[in-house]
Amino acid sequence: MPTHHVDRRTLLAGAAIGAGALITPGPALARSGDLAALERAVMAGRDDSIRRIQEWIRTPAIAAENRDMQKGADYMAALARDAGFTDVEIVPTDGHPGVFGVLDSGAKRTLGIYFMYDVKQYDATEWSSPPIEARLVDKPGFGKAIVGRGAVNQKGPQATFLAALHAFRKAGRKLPVNLVLVAEGEEEIGSPNFRQIVTKPHILAALKRCEGIFLPASWQNSQGAVDVNLGAKGIIELELIASGEKWGRGPKKDVHSSLKAMVDSPSWRLVQALQTLVTPDGNTPAIDGWFDTVRPLSAREKALIAENAAHDSEADMKQGLGVPAWIDDLPFARALERLASQPTVNIEGLVAGYTGPGGKTVLPARAVAKIDMRLVPNQTRADCEAKLRAHLDKRGFTDIEAKVSGGYDPTETAEDSRLIRAELATYARQGVKATLNPRLAGSWPGAVFTSAPVSLPAGHFGIGHGAGAHAPDEYLVIDSTNPKVAGLEKATMAYIDFLYELAAIK
Amino acid sequence: MPTHHVDRRTLLAGAAIGAGALITPGPALARSGDLAALERAVMAGRDDSIRRIQEWIRTPAIAAENRDMQKGADYMAALARDAGFTDVEIVPTDGHPGVFGVLDSGAKRTLGIYFMYDVKQYDATEWSSPPIEARLVDKPGFGKAIVGRGAVNQKGPQATFLAALHAFRKAGRKLPVNLVLVAEGEEEIGSPNFRQIVTKPHILAALKRCEGIFLPASWQNSQGAVDVNLGAKGIIELELIASGEKWGRGPKKDVHSSLKAMVDSPSWRLVQALQTLVTPDGNTPAIDGWFDTVRPLSAREKALIAENAAHDSEADMKQGLGVPAWIDDLPFARALERLASQPTVNIEGLVAGYTGPGGKTVLPARAVAKIDMRLVPNQTRADCEAKLRAHLDKRGFTDIEAKVSGGYDPTETAEDSRLIRAELATYARQGVKATLNPRLAGSWPGAVFTSAPVSLPAGHFGIGHGAGAHAPDEYLVIDSTNPKVAGLEKATMAYIDFLYELAAIK
């Protein structure tokens, strides 16, 4: 039954008769003669694959809480060894360790794999199913799903990729490409030490042999569509802090608000500093020199955005976000161009003094703006941090602290790289609508790979569906009841097909 | 043992022998022949007086939590009746009820008494002694004190005044003045309905017969000194709220921060609106027309401030507040002039988006600045609210909500009123250093009395010591071990002396 989409019943029927056709195989996979054996191995490994995701979720490592990080790294290393990686090592950093391993199958080409073994913090009281029990729960409209922290971000998709490797072992087949795995445990705190891992000489040498590097992902939407991002914005996350302590004016601790008549206010100082950072409409950074290195969109990038604007539903997007109008009432295509091309200075949060219900007559000693600044090529995090400091200093705000907690440079990956072309070919074969997006407005540590010295194409690949990253009730669909969305076995087979595609593509 | 200050041992010795001299009586009290009998009654009533404070604390009424308000009003009415007030009634308002009563002793003059029967909210976990158990606890440097919510603000001092009335009853003596009592249960939420009480025709008529009105207070500092305030600043407490909901731009719920490139930000809008409200240094209101009605300090007011500046320790004040320098590095006297004379716009708190540790990549749908604005004569709350609205509207911030939660007009009481002169005479006799302060920088509902139609002198009076209003471990000293600070019986006798003084003063 060759079909692009199999629902759960079809899939289970297929398992029962040991038949293939979970996916439409690419020519390389079809020619290899491995298809039937690999499909059987994937089906036979189903219970192990589910258990692998669940057990990993039940072993949380949370960098932000310094929770079980060594255990998390050890567990990551064990998962890699079990899947066939050799030379697996825990790689120490100034922060939490990473994991490195290789899988040499004697193939011509090598592919890099990026994993994160840490997960975001969670508040168990907000979950309808306990966040580290990884229960199987019915998700109406999608099917049976594993609910737990890390289910989609990123243990579930990563374990699905590992399931593909186990299928090769079980089927006694050789991988069509060699693999290089680099994993970190600090993704959720902004990868502050990841560069230390990839620039270790032997790891860098291994990465330099790769065609590209990818992070397994399960981001099909309810229509089965995915994005292929040719890059991502960078980010700097920071707190701007005005305080009597640093200022040498105003109070060192909160005092009664009546004293405002004779005591300076750090809160007002923060407000005055903040308003210099953007244009009066709040929409364009006004930090000195901010646009000096900004590269405008290319004609090709604009064309891709216009195409996406024509296909996406602006009304749905506005409805989903609760946003009645874009900045300056821009038409959709122009708003999407802005999304891809414009650096931003955003206020994530404001915190000063009394924050409870009603009021309290205090003059706060400290005021904080939580800020994220999105960067575009060719801005760099280091240059932008220096420009922000210079901008504040020039205006006399030398006392206002810019406490950077993390960030990434922007990334770019060429549309004609083998990595991107193999992704597009694989998606096309599976009937998955893949939208070429010139630049993800979100950010990920990909710049560690795309910039020197690693300088590799980098992106995400995978089918299947999950949601709730950083939120309660995060999930990954295992048995899909949505014919447009892949379940666990089909997602596993798509990784296998992708590896063959990457091995064969011109 | 005539002495201005009695310590606890002296006091108890006095009680044992039934002797007088708790205070230095004024000529009127001395002439009355009532001194010895009243002192004996105060001493004999000591246990009842302590129990009265404790039982009242154990009956909390908290308007902010709508907690036991009817019970609180009933209790207030019962306390008034027990102390000899007649025609006591619960006075309904649009909010929580007040209490009114009179005590007609056939005297020539009448004095108004203002009580509040509500207390501030509390968090019992922050207290070292349970907040509504009213335990007797040793306060090093002060002596035995009742610890509980309302101990100093304001049940303790009010009950001490009631103890004075009980002493008159017990001694079979007539009060030298008639009394009019008005009590409210909404002081801690800004007295939103108190004007309804005092303007009821029969209550207003009773108040119009008064020489003045006062709130019993126990605010001696460790040196025994008190302030006599000739007025107080007014206040408007409000939230300034920018939201996608009201604006019709930006998001209606928090969205991912990467969308800042195409979505407007209510937080930036709030920052831009805020910065128009004050001068760039944050120290002077810049709201259109704000100073139109501000009356400058008189020569007498400046002279009083200069005198206070000469006597107070600037170094101690800076040290206590943790403030290294006043606004514009002003000298102390000029800073105190500013404290008394300048209207302020203060940020009490800022709340938007993510307020926890670290960052979170959201674009918040709503941003709030908690503001208090202190007013000076002849500003009024109503006029200032209208000016703020007009200022925001003129700059296009029609969507920014100014949600006023409460406030008071400024108050003024003439230095030559009988109320103030009687206070000063009584303090002087007790050896209590009384500092004439032209204007309290804090705020209280006194404007309800000092402004039309009531138009009475209004202030605070009392000796004794307590602290911790609105804070954990609020207390009132009962048995003073500090020779400069009055304990319960001496504070009670001071009220008695004050009533005689007010009856006799020219």
Side-chain angles (χ1 to χ4, degrees), chain A residues 17-42:
Chain A
I17 59 165
L22 274 172
I23 56 161
T24 305
L29 174 51
R31 264 199 316 273
S32 71
D34 297 339
L35 175 61
L38 286 167
E39 285 202 327
R40 275 194 304 273
V42 166

PDB file of all heavy atoms in Angstrom, chain A residues 17-42:
ATOM      1  N   ILE A  17       1.511  -7.735   9.189  1.00  0.00           N
ATOM      2  CA  ILE A  17       1.925  -8.593   8.081  1.00  0.00           C
ATOM      3  C   ILE A  17       3.398  -8.412   7.739  1.00  0.00           C
ATOM      4  O   ILE A  17       3.907  -9.015   6.805  1.00  0.00           O
ATOM      5  CB  ILE A  17       1.060  -8.336   6.815  1.00  0.00           C
ATOM      6  CG1 ILE A  17       1.176  -6.862   6.389  1.00  0.00           C
ATOM      7  CG2 ILE A  17      -0.385  -8.768   7.026  1.00  0.00           C
ATOM      8  CD1 ILE A  17       0.686  -6.588   4.996  1.00  0.00           C
ATOM      9  N   GLY A  18       4.085  -7.582   8.498  1.00  0.00           N
ATOM     10  CA  GLY A  18       5.515  -7.396   8.236  1.00  0.00           C
ATOM     11  C   GLY A  18       5.791  -6.722   6.910  1.00  0.00           C
ATOM     12  O   GLY A  18       6.902  -6.778   6.395  1.00  0.00           O
ATOM     13  N   ALA A  19       4.792  -6.062   6.360  1.00  0.00           N
ATOM     14  CA  ALA A  19       4.970  -5.434   5.051  1.00  0.00           C
ATOM     15  C   ALA A  19       5.628  -4.070   5.192  1.00  0.00           C
ATOM     16  O   ALA A  19       5.710  -3.509   6.271  1.00  0.00           O
ATOM     17  CB  ALA A  19       3.631  -5.284   4.356  1.00  0.00           C
ATOM     18  N   GLY A  20       6.067  -3.487   4.078  1.00  0.00           N
ATOM     19  CA  GLY A  20       6.764  -2.209   4.075  1.00  0.00           C
ATOM     20  C   GLY A  20       5.831  -1.064   3.785  1.00  0.00           C
ATOM     21  O   GLY A  20       4.689  -1.033   4.224  1.00  0.00           O
ATOM     22  N   ALA A  21       6.384  -0.069   3.065  1.00  0.00           N
ATOM     23  CA  ALA A  21       5.606   1.056   2.556  1.00  0.00           C
ATOM     24  C   ALA A  21       5.161   2.018   3.646  1.00  0.00           C
ATOM     25  O   ALA A  21       4.146   2.663   3.529  1.00  0.00           O
ATOM     26  CB  ALA A  21       4.405   0.590   1.761  1.00  0.00           C
ATOM     27  N   LEU A  22       5.940   2.117   4.728  1.00  0.00           N
ATOM     28  CA  LEU A  22       5.680   3.182   5.695  1.00  0.00           C
ATOM     29  C   LEU A  22       5.850   4.531   5.028  1.00  0.00           C
ATOM     30  O   LEU A  22       5.157   5.478   5.328  1.00  0.00           O
ATOM     31  CB  LEU A  22       6.673   3.085   6.861  1.00  0.00           C
ATOM     32  CG  LEU A  22       6.281   2.147   7.987  1.00  0.00           C
ATOM     33  CD1 LEU A  22       7.446   2.023   8.957  1.00  0.00           C
ATOM     34  CD2 LEU A  22       5.040   2.645   8.689  1.00  0.00           C
ATOM     35  N   ILE A  23       6.832   4.613   4.142  1.00  0.00           N
ATOM     36  CA  ILE A  23       7.094   5.850   3.421  1.00  0.00           C
ATOM     37  C   ILE A  23       7.274   5.522   1.950  1.00  0.00           C
ATOM     38  O   ILE A  23       7.403   4.357   1.568  1.00  0.00           O
ATOM     39  CB  ILE A  23       8.396   6.527   3.911  1.00  0.00           C
ATOM     40  CG1 ILE A  23       9.576   5.536   3.797  1.00  0.00           C
ATOM     41  CG2 ILE A  23       8.248   7.045   5.337  1.00  0.00           C
ATOM     42  CD1 ILE A  23      10.925   6.208   3.797  1.00  0.00           C
ATOM     43  N   THR A  24       7.277   6.577   1.147  1.00  0.00           N
ATOM     44  CA  THR A  24       7.690   6.437  -0.249  1.00  0.00           C
ATOM     45  C   THR A  24       9.202   6.576  -0.268  1.00  0.00           C
ATOM     46  O   THR A  24       9.728   7.661  -0.034  1.00  0.00           O
ATOM     47  CB  THR A  24       7.089   7.570  -1.087  1.00  0.00           C
ATOM     48  OG1 THR A  24       5.679   7.555  -0.905  1.00  0.00           O
ATOM     49  CG2 THR A  24       7.441   7.388  -2.555  1.00  0.00           C
ATOM     50  N   PRO A  25       9.927   5.485  -0.512  1.00  0.00           N
ATOM     51  CA  PRO A  25      11.388   5.579  -0.410  1.00  0.00           C
ATOM     52  C   PRO A  25      11.982   6.352  -1.584  1.00  0.00           C
ATOM     53  O   PRO A  25      11.442   6.318  -2.691  1.00  0.00           O
ATOM     54  CB  PRO A  25      11.833   4.125  -0.435  1.00  0.00           C
ATOM     55  CG  PRO A  25      10.752   3.418  -1.178  1.00  0.00           C
ATOM     56  CD  PRO A  25       9.477   4.148  -0.905  1.00  0.00           C
ATOM     57  N   GLY A  26      13.079   7.036  -1.324  1.00  0.00           N
ATOM     58  CA  GLY A  26      13.816   7.681  -2.396  1.00  0.00           C
ATOM     59  C   GLY A  26      14.541   6.634  -3.228  1.00  0.00           C
ATOM     60  O   GLY A  26      14.681   5.481  -2.807  1.00  0.00           O
ATOM     61  N   PRO A  27      15.023   7.035  -4.391  1.00  0.00           N
ATOM     62  CA  PRO A  27      15.704   6.082  -5.278  1.00  0.00           C
ATOM     63  C   PRO A  27      16.883   5.391  -4.590  1.00  0.00           C
ATOM     64  O   PRO A  27      17.090   4.198  -4.770  1.00  0.00           O
ATOM     65  CB  PRO A  27      16.183   6.954  -6.441  1.00  0.00           C
ATOM     66  CG  PRO A  27      15.386   8.236  -6.363  1.00  0.00           C
ATOM     67  CD  PRO A  27      14.938   8.393  -4.963  1.00  0.00           C
ATOM     68  N   ALA A  28      17.590   6.154  -3.786  1.00  0.00           N
ATOM     69  CA  ALA A  28      18.781   5.572  -3.158  1.00  0.00           C
ATOM     70  C   ALA A  28      18.397   4.474  -2.176  1.00  0.00           C
ATOM     71  O   ALA A  28      18.981   3.386  -2.176  1.00  0.00           O
ATOM     72  CB  ALA A  28      19.571   6.680  -2.443  1.00  0.00           C
ATOM     73  N   LEU A  29      17.392   4.766  -1.364  1.00  0.00           N
ATOM     74  CA  LEU A  29      16.933   3.763  -0.402  1.00  0.00           C
ATOM     75  C   LEU A  29      16.326   2.564  -1.144  1.00  0.00           C
ATOM     76  O   LEU A  29      16.597   1.402  -0.808  1.00  0.00           O
ATOM     77  CB  LEU A  29      15.900   4.389   0.558  1.00  0.00           C
ATOM     78  CG  LEU A  29      15.203   3.454   1.543  1.00  0.00           C
ATOM     79  CD1 LEU A  29      16.207   2.603   2.324  1.00  0.00           C
ATOM     80  CD2 LEU A  29      14.319   4.231   2.511  1.00  0.00           C
ATOM     81  N   ALA A  30      15.531   2.849  -2.178  1.00  0.00           N
ATOM     82  CA  ALA A  30      14.899   1.766  -2.940  1.00  0.00           C
ATOM     83  C   ALA A  30      15.971   0.866  -3.565  1.00  0.00           C
ATOM     84  O   ALA A  30      15.908  -0.367  -3.470  1.00  0.00           O
ATOM     85  CB  ALA A  30      13.988   2.351  -4.027  1.00  0.00           C
ATOM     86  N   ARG A  31      17.002   1.494  -4.177  1.00  0.00           N
ATOM     87  CA  ARG A  31      18.080   0.733  -4.834  1.00  0.00           C
ATOM     88  C   ARG A  31      18.888  -0.100  -3.846  1.00  0.00           C
ATOM     89  O   ARG A  31      19.430  -1.122  -4.171  1.00  0.00           O
ATOM     90  CB  ARG A  31      19.042   1.727  -5.508  1.00  0.00           C
ATOM     91  CG  ARG A  31      18.766   1.973  -6.990  1.00  0.00           C
ATOM     92  CD  ARG A  31      20.000   2.583  -7.673  1.00  0.00           C
ATOM     93  NE  ARG A  31      20.623   3.632  -6.913  1.00  0.00           N
ATOM     94  CZ  ARG A  31      20.283   4.927  -6.968  1.00  0.00           C
ATOM     95  NH1 ARG A  31      19.288   5.321  -7.757  1.00  0.00           N
ATOM     96  NH2 ARG A  31      20.915   5.821  -6.248  1.00  0.00           N
ATOM     97  N   SER A  32      18.973   0.402  -2.592  1.00  0.00           N
ATOM     98  CA  SER A  32      19.860  -0.242  -1.620  1.00  0.00           C
ATOM     99  C   SER A  32      19.434  -1.659  -1.293  1.00  0.00           C
ATOM    100  O   SER A  32      20.232  -2.457  -0.826  1.00  0.00           O
ATOM    101  CB  SER A  32      19.886   0.575  -0.328  1.00  0.00           C
ATOM    102  OG  SER A  32      18.633   0.451   0.350  1.00  0.00           O
ATOM    103  N   GLY A  33      18.145  -1.960  -1.500  1.00  0.00           N
ATOM    104  CA  GLY A  33      17.644  -3.281  -1.125  1.00  0.00           C
ATOM    105  C   GLY A  33      17.426  -3.417   0.365  1.00  0.00           C
ATOM    106  O   GLY A  33      17.093  -4.487   0.860  1.00  0.00           O
ATOM    107  N   ASP A  34      17.615  -2.314   1.095  1.00  0.00           N
ATOM    108  CA  ASP A  34      17.501  -2.385   2.561  1.00  0.00           C
ATOM    109  C   ASP A  34      16.097  -2.030   3.056  1.00  0.00           C
ATOM    110  O   ASP A  34      15.803  -2.191   4.239  1.00  0.00           O
ATOM    111  CB  ASP A  34      18.482  -1.389   3.212  1.00  0.00           C
ATOM    112  CG  ASP A  34      19.937  -1.744   2.882  1.00  0.00           C
ATOM    113  OD1 ASP A  34      20.190  -2.909   2.527  1.00  0.00           O
ATOM    114  OD2 ASP A  34      20.789  -0.842   2.989  1.00  0.00           O
ATOM    115  N   LEU A  35      15.245  -1.530   2.168  1.00  0.00           N
ATOM    116  CA  LEU A  35      13.971  -0.949   2.585  1.00  0.00           C
ATOM    117  C   LEU A  35      13.134  -1.896   3.460  1.00  0.00           C
ATOM    118  O   LEU A  35      12.751  -1.554   4.576  1.00  0.00           O
ATOM    119  CB  LEU A  35      13.170  -0.510   1.353  1.00  0.00           C
ATOM    120  CG  LEU A  35      11.765   0.005   1.619  1.00  0.00           C
ATOM    121  CD1 LEU A  35      11.787   1.251   2.510  1.00  0.00           C
ATOM    122  CD2 LEU A  35      11.047   0.326   0.302  1.00  0.00           C
ATOM    123  N   ALA A  36      12.896  -3.087   2.936  1.00  0.00           N
ATOM    124  CA  ALA A  36      11.989  -4.006   3.644  1.00  0.00           C
ATOM    125  C   ALA A  36      12.575  -4.378   5.002  1.00  0.00           C
ATOM    126  O   ALA A  36      11.871  -4.368   6.030  1.00  0.00           O
ATOM    127  CB  ALA A  36      11.741  -5.247   2.800  1.00  0.00           C
ATOM    128  N   ALA A  37      13.868  -4.649   5.026  1.00  0.00           N
ATOM    129  CA  ALA A  37      14.502  -5.045   6.286  1.00  0.00           C
ATOM    130  C   ALA A  37      14.460  -3.904   7.301  1.00  0.00           C
ATOM    131  O   ALA A  37      14.185  -4.116   8.498  1.00  0.00           O
ATOM    132  CB  ALA A  37      15.950  -5.473   6.024  1.00  0.00           C
ATOM    133  N   LEU A  38      14.709  -2.703   6.805  1.00  0.00           N
ATOM    134  CA  LEU A  38      14.713  -1.556   7.730  1.00  0.00           C
ATOM    135  C   LEU A  38      13.303  -1.279   8.245  1.00  0.00           C
ATOM    136  O   LEU A  38      13.113  -0.986   9.428  1.00  0.00           O
ATOM    137  CB  LEU A  38      15.294  -0.320   7.036  1.00  0.00           C
ATOM    138  CG  LEU A  38      16.822  -0.349   6.848  1.00  0.00           C
ATOM    139  CD1 LEU A  38      17.283   0.740   5.880  1.00  0.00           C
ATOM    140  CD2 LEU A  38      17.531  -0.192   8.199  1.00  0.00           C
ATOM    141  N   GLU A  39      12.326  -1.380   7.368  1.00  0.00           N
ATOM    142  CA  GLU A  39      10.946  -1.149   7.813  1.00  0.00           C
ATOM    143  C   GLU A  39      10.541  -2.188   8.859  1.00  0.00           C
ATOM    144  O   GLU A  39       9.923  -1.858   9.880  1.00  0.00           O
ATOM    145  CB  GLU A  39       9.977  -1.190   6.626  1.00  0.00           C
ATOM    146  CG  GLU A  39      10.062   0.074   5.795  1.00  0.00           C
ATOM    147  CD  GLU A  39       8.810   0.303   4.963  1.00  0.00           C
ATOM    148  OE1 GLU A  39       8.189  -0.691   4.526  1.00  0.00           O
ATOM    149  OE2 GLU A  39       8.457   1.487   4.766  1.00  0.00           O
ATOM    150  N   ARG A  40      10.904  -3.433   8.615  1.00  0.00           N
ATOM    151  CA  ARG A  40      10.586  -4.472   9.598  1.00  0.00           C
ATOM    152  C   ARG A  40      11.263  -4.166  10.941  1.00  0.00           C
ATOM    153  O   ARG A  40      10.670  -4.309  12.000  1.00  0.00           O
ATOM    154  CB  ARG A  40      11.034  -5.846   9.089  1.00  0.00           C
ATOM    155  CG  ARG A  40      10.013  -6.533   8.183  1.00  0.00           C
ATOM    156  CD  ARG A  40      10.350  -8.022   7.983  1.00  0.00           C
ATOM    157  NE  ARG A  40      11.693  -8.240   7.452  1.00  0.00           N
ATOM    158  CZ  ARG A  40      11.982  -8.246   6.127  1.00  0.00           C
ATOM    159  NH1 ARG A  40      11.027  -8.056   5.222  1.00  0.00           N
ATOM    160  NH2 ARG A  40      13.219  -8.460   5.733  1.00  0.00           N
ATOM    161  N   ALA A  41      12.506  -3.715  10.849  1.00  0.00           N
ATOM    162  CA  ALA A  41      13.241  -3.405  12.083  1.00  0.00           C
ATOM    163  C   ALA A  41      12.605  -2.227  12.826  1.00  0.00           C
ATOM    164  O   ALA A  41      12.513  -2.220  14.063  1.00  0.00           O
ATOM    165  CB  ALA A  41      14.706  -3.096  11.760  1.00  0.00           C
ATOM    166  N   VAL A  42      12.158  -1.228  12.056  1.00  0.00           N
ATOM    167  CA  VAL A  42      11.505  -0.078  12.697  1.00  0.00           C
ATOM    168  C   VAL A  42      10.223  -0.528  13.399  1.00  0.00           C
ATOM    169  O   VAL A  42       9.973  -0.169  14.562  1.00  0.00           O
ATOM    170  CB  VAL A  42      11.196   1.032  11.660  1.00  0.00           C
ATOM    171  CG1 VAL A  42      10.231   2.067  12.233  1.00  0.00           C
ATOM    172  CG2 VAL A  42      12.494   1.696  11.200  1.00  0.00           C
TER     173      VAL A  42
END
